[in-house]
Amino acid sequence: MNYLIADLYKTRQCHRSQEMVVLENDQVSDNPVPGNKSKKGLDLFWKLARAKQEKQIIDWSSKILQNVSKGIMDTNFVLEKLISSLAGSDTSSKTSYFVCLTELMRQAKPEFATVSQMMEPALRPAGAVSKGEEANFLMARLLVITAALRAEMDISIKEKSEIINHLGDISSSRSYMNLPAIKLCVEHFLPEEDLLDLIKTKFPIDADNLDLDSLYFLFSLFKQDPTDAYIKEKGLSKIAGKKSLGYFSSALINTNLPPQEAAKHPGFGLLISILTEKKAVGNFWQTFSSSMTSANNKGLLGWMFL
């Protein structure tokens, strides 16, 4: 589950290059079947859930979208069905539902308020649930928000603030959802000044406890405002100062990710980019290499950095 969102980001881009555009010529019907009284087409959700290959996901998603465009299925019914299905435990079916949901949102253009209203009853447990079930509900909410943003829905500033609050709550509930939540904020909301203070509040950075996720967020903020203003708020004089390099080194040394996965982390890439830009690679290496020991097994990560 840790890497599901990252995989879906890639999947989404891949599927857009395929022929998943069935509603662009046949627009969504103005007179859909209310409440989907006809059960025709419901088997498509079962087939979509069991699709394992990219082509199968595209084919079954396209068939569902065609049923919407022809009025066989109500748009809201399909939205609710896909949203609630994302709370299942099967990872592969989440991928299929996510792709179909994103495409439906992009083409049918529902109001985000409608999507938000659907999430509340469908993706909030009514009673006591296990930790695994709670995690599935949280992941489903994260996926719905991701789909809405990827579909480039028209979302108001107030709704964006609500989304940031949701992402902050999800992030604090499960550590492995922290990076996907931060990435959504960085990619979709960071350039908007009206949202910046809220993002900083929901994703606080503690210089003494930097990890690769918070490092990625810190560097993203710096790229947005390269004046060192936010760095100074955290008690650091400048982005490539001696004290900062020590914190960055600790974040890398203390990561629990395997070296190959750490090297793929966006925080790792931004670290290299900014150190190169500031001509501080040599100074960082002196700090980092002195901490490499056989006990912490960071030698491989060090060579990847070089």
Side-chain angles (χ1 to χ4, degrees), residues 37-48:
K37 292 178 181 178
S38 168
K39 292 186 179 181
K40 186 175 182 181
L42 291 181
D43 62 317
L44 295 176
F45 292 102
W46 184 87
K47 292 173 180 176
L48 177 64

Side-chain angles (χ1 to χ4, degrees), residues 95-136:
T95 303
S96 301
Y97 290 134
F98 174 84
V99 170
C100 189
L101 177 63
T102 306
E103 204 65 24
L104 179 62
M105 287 178 170
R106 187 186 69 81
Q107 297 182 26
K109 295 179 171 54
E111 297 286 333
F112 182 76
T114 300
V115 174
S116 185
Q117 287 168 5
M118 290 177 179
M119 277 202 295
E120 283 307 308
L123 302 181
R124 283 203 185 277
V129 294
S130 67
K131 288 186 176 180
E133 290 170 326
E134 182 187 39
N136 284 330

Side-chain angles (χ1 to χ4, degrees), residues 61-252:
S61 295
S62 296
K63 285 182 177 13
I64 290 172
L65 295 176
Q66 286 168 358
N67 275 356
V68 173
S69 71
K70 293 174 182 176
I72 297 172
M73 284 197 251
D74 174 43
T75 304
N76 284 351
F77 168 81
V78 177
L79 273 173
E80 282 190 284
K81 180 70 174 172
L82 291 171
I83 287 171
S84 60
S85 296
L86 283 170
S89 58
D90 183 66
T91 301
S92 62
S93 67
K94 287 181 193 287
T95 303
S96 301
Y97 290 134
F98 174 84
V99 170
C100 189
L101 177 63
T102 306
E103 204 65 24
L104 179 62
M105 287 178 170
R106 187 186 69 81
Q107 297 182 26
K109 295 179 171 54
E111 297 286 333
F112 182 76
T114 300
V115 174
S116 185
Q117 287 168 5
M118 290 177 179
M119 277 202 295
E120 283 307 308
L123 302 181
R124 283 203 185 277
V129 294
S130 67
K131 288 186 176 180
E133 290 170 326
E134 182 187 39
N136 284 330
F137 280 116
L138 290 169
M139 176 62 77
R141 296 178 73 81
L142 185 57
L143 290 173
V144 173
I145 291 170
T146 305
L149 295 173
R150 286 282 167 178
E152 299 180 340
M153 292 177 64
D154 186 13
I155 303 173
S156 68
I157 286 290
K158 181 181 178 182
E159 290 169 334
K160 288 177 181 178
S161 297
E162 292 172 0
I163 289 174
I164 293 167
N165 281 317
H166 281 314
L167 291 174
D169 293 343
I170 291 169
S171 170
S172 61
S173 297
R174 293 293 188 280
S175 60
Y176 58 84
M177 298 187 196
N178 189 41
L179 179 59
I182 291 175
K183 285 191 72 174
L184 288 176
C185 287
V186 168
E187 293 180 7
H188 296 277
F189 304 135
L190 207 56
E192 300 192 41
E193 288 188 17
D194 292 344
L195 300 172
L196 196 52
D197 286 342
L198 177 60
I199 296 172
K200 290 178 181 178
T201 300
K202 296 303 292 187
F203 297 92
I205 293 175
D206 179 2
D208 291 320
N209 293 291
L210 276 181
D211 57 16
L212 282 177
D213 292 352
S214 53
L215 207 58
Y216 165 69
F217 184 42
L218 180 67
F219 290 148
S220 297
L221 287 168
F222 173 76
K223 290 178 76 69
Q224 188 70 25
D225 176 20
T227 63
D228 285 331
Y230 188 65
I231 296 293
K232 290 174 182 176
E233 288 179 25
K234 297 301 164 186
L236 307 174
S237 59
K238 53 185 179 179
I239 193 72
K242 184 177 180 180
K243 189 175 182 181
S244 299
L245 296 181
Y247 283 123
F248 302 161
S249 174
S250 295
L252 210 53

